[in-house]
Structure formats: structure tokens, C-alpha cells
Amino acid sequence: MQETRQNKISRLLQKELAEIFQAQTRQMHGVLISVTRVRISPDLSICSAYLSIFPSEQGEQLLQNITANEKSIRYELGRRVRNQLRIIPELRFFIDDSLDYIDRIDELLKK
């Protein structure tokens, strides 16, 4: 039962975070941030969001910027989901490097 609730909340947070990042990166031409995966703790207090950033060269810089603005992102998220969630989870952001890993494996297999 709890796992189903966690999955529903994870999907909701992924959708809302994606819309927040889409609105924020609209001014930055050539930058795309995708929320690839969201994990939420069993007590629904911590949300780990995995971001795919294009171009990947700017990934660390953008992740530092996102982490610095974590409170404003959480506030915006709270405004969007205040009717669905009682407590807005603490946000943690990580770079999802699975695409880079897949490219590296493909490159090694071609050799």
C-alpha cells in the first residue's frame, strides 16, 4: 500500500518539477533540463530528483545553481501541489549520468 502511494507521489513530483525547470530554462537558450527519475523516502519527507542536463558540459554548473536555489524551487513546488500533499518534501538533486554511461558502453562495444 505504501509503495503505491510513493509511486503516485513520485510521478506527481516528477511532472511538477519538470514543468518548473521547463519554465525556468525557457530564458536560457540551448539548455534543457529533464527530470528523469524521482525517488521519495517512505515517510515522504525527502525527494531525490535525478536530472539529465543538456549540454552535459554545463551539468555541474547548473546543478550547483539548482542546489543554491533549492528553497525557491521547493516553494514553487509547494504552490503547485499544496492541495495534494500535506508536507512538501525536502529536495535533493543529482545528475543522472545514465545516458553518458550508455554512450560509453556503446563506444566500448564498437571497439
Side-chain angles (χ1 to χ4, degrees):
M1 182 75 174
Q2 181 70 12
E3 193 170 309
T4 304
R5 179 159 170 77
Q6 280 178 280
N7 290 337
K8 286 182 180 179
I9 291 174
S10 292
R11 287 192 305 266
L12 172 70
L13 294 176
Q14 182 177 5
K15 177 183 163 283
E16 295 298 336
L17 283 171
E19 289 178 5
I20 290 170
F21 287 129
Q22 183 181 20
Q24 288 181 352
T25 58
R26 195 166 284 145
Q27 300 106 9
M28 302 167 55
H29 298 289
V31 174
L32 178 67
I33 299 175
S34 301
V35 182
T36 56
R37 190 174 59 202
V38 171
R39 300 274 186 236
I40 191 147
S41 63
D43 63 350
L44 308 178
S45 65
I46 299 172
C47 170
S48 299
Y50 294 87
L51 308 175
S52 177
I53 300 173
F54 179 81
S56 58
E57 297 83 35
Q58 297 179 359
E60 285 297 324
Q61 177 188 4
L62 287 172
L63 184 66
Q64 289 174 356
N65 191 9
I66 289 168
T67 305
N69 294 317
E70 190 174 297
K71 291 184 186 207
S72 63
I73 295 170
R74 184 176 180 204
Y75 175 77
E76 179 64 27
L77 182 66
R79 282 189 341 100
R80 291 171 178 249
V81 298
R82 67 176 174 239
N83 296 327
Q84 289 103 343
L85 297 177
R86 188 178 320 156
I87 297 172
I88 307 305
E90 177 185 330
L91 300 175
R92 295 184 181 161
F93 297 104
F94 303 98
I95 291 181
D96 184 14
D97 58 353
S98 61
L99 291 177
D100 295 335
Y101 181 72
I102 290 170
D103 288 341
R104 174 127 169 84
I105 296 293
D106 284 342
E107 183 180 310
L108 290 173
L109 288 174
K110 286 179 183 176
K111 287 182 180 179

